[in-house]
């Protein structure tokens, strides 16, 4: 159970990337008051949690309705995670997030960033939804499913903490340290993604 929790938590932490979302949130809420920042952070994480838990609990039924085999989803999800890992290693993911944040900041009528772009697609994006469904598909029995859901909850709590401490956190870490951490996590995610693909291929053949 401990190994499952650590594996699920590390995978989710790398994909959802609380440290990477913190500077984007800080830039998006630059003109907001501390109370507004807190409210938007709580709302963003709450909405993302609802989305991820829905897909975690009923994603398998959705795949069955669409006629998609679980092993095919494992392979596709692994490829998606590998692409995310490549973006992290070469800093493409950070650039896209910053571009998205800049577009939102340049739109004066957009004030509340909790739903878009924070809840979706930054926290509960395609990669994190696929990861949650993959982890739940590998869990056997109620106890293992609860372990995976616990890892999701812990990751989201860390995301909330990162968003609430976005300003001081960025001042403490700096962009260079953040870039190093992102690259290291990207390499780790690439290995995990490869394992997802291998598991899917083994089960298929």
């Amino acid at each position: 159970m401990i190994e499952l929790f650590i594996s699920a938590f590390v995978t989710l932490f790398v994909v959802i990337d609380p440290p990477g979302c913190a500077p984007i949130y800080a830039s998006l809420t630059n003109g907001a008051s501390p109370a507004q920042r807190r409210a938007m952070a709580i709302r963003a994480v709450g909405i993302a949690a609802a989305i991820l838990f829905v897909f975690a609990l009923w994603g398998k039924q959705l795949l069955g309705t669409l006629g998609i085999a679980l092993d095919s989803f494992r392979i596709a999800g692994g490829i998606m995670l590998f692409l995310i890992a490549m973006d992290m290693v070469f800093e493409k993911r950070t650039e896209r997030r910053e571009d998205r944040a800049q577009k939102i900041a340049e739109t004066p009528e957009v004030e509340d960033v909790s739903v878009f772009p924070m809840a979706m697609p930054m926290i509960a994006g395609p990669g994190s939804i696929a990861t949650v469904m993959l982890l739940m598909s590998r869990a056997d029995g109620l106890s293992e499913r609860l372990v995976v859901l616990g890892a999701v909850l812990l990751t989201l709590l860390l995301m909330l903490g990162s968003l609430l401490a976005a300003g001081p956190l960025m001042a403490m870490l700096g962009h260079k340290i953040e870039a190093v951490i992102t690259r290291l996590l990207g390499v780790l995610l690439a290995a995990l993604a490869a394992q997802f693909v291998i598991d899917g291929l083994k089960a298929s053949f």
Side-chain angles (χ1 to χ4, degrees), residues 11-33:
T11 306
L12 287 164
F13 185 85
V14 171
V15 173
I16 297 176
D17 191 18
C21 288
I24 305 299
Y25 183 72
S27 64
L28 287 174
T29 58
N30 194 22
S33 66

Side-chain angles (χ1 to χ4, degrees), residues 9 13 55 62 67 74 84 91 119 127 145 166 175 181 188-189:
F9 171 71
F13 185 85
F55 277 96
L62 177 62
R74 282 194 181 101
I84 293 173
E91 288 196 329
R145 289 172 180 266
H175 292 290
I181 293 173
L188 180 61
L189 179 60

Side-chain angles (χ1 to χ4, degrees), residues 48-116:
I51 294 169
L52 292 177
F53 278 112
V54 165
F55 277 96
L57 295 172
W58 294 289
K60 187 175 180 180
Q61 290 84 339
L62 177 62
L63 290 180
T65 303
L66 297 174
I68 301 172
L70 201 56
D71 296 326
S72 300
F73 189 80
R74 282 194 181 101
I75 296 169
I79 294 170
M80 285 178 62
L81 294 180
F82 187 79
L83 293 175
I84 293 173
M86 293 294 290
D87 286 347
M88 291 174 69
V89 172
F90 295 105
E91 288 196 329
K92 298 293 183 184
R93 190 185 187 199
T94 303
E95 289 177 11
R96 279 204 298 269
R97 278 179 166 173
E98 290 175 349
D99 291 341
R100 190 184 298 131
Q102 185 62 30
K103 289 178 182 178
I104 296 297
E106 289 173 354
T107 308
E109 63 269 17
V110 177
E111 295 179 359
D112 189 351
V113 298
S114 58
V115 179
F116 177 83

Side-chain angles (χ1 to χ4, degrees), residues 79-177:
I79 294 170
M80 285 178 62
L81 294 180
F82 187 79
L83 293 175
I84 293 173
M86 293 294 290
D87 286 347
M88 291 174 69
V89 172
F90 295 105
E91 288 196 329
K92 298 293 183 184
R93 190 185 187 199
T94 303
E95 289 177 11
R96 279 204 298 269
R97 278 179 166 173
E98 290 175 349
D99 291 341
R100 190 184 298 131
Q102 185 62 30
K103 289 178 182 178
I104 296 297
E106 289 173 354
T107 308
E109 63 269 17
V110 177
E111 295 179 359
D112 189 351
V113 298
S114 58
V115 179
F116 177 83
M118 290 310 305
M120 285 194 72
M122 286 191 178
I123 302 175
S128 54
I129 290 172
T131 303
V132 167
M133 292 180 65
L134 283 170
L135 291 171
M136 289 295 285
S137 71
R138 297 175 70 185
D140 295 325
L142 179 61
S143 57
E144 290 192 1
R145 289 172 180 266
L146 290 175
V147 168
V148 173
L149 292 176
V152 175
L153 182 61
L154 177 59
T155 307
L156 290 172
L157 288 174
L158 289 175
M159 171 63 77
L160 179 60
S162 296
L163 297 185
L164 292 175
L169 189 65
M170 282 311 298
M172 181 178 65
L173 289 178
H175 292 290
K176 290 184 178 180
I177 296 177

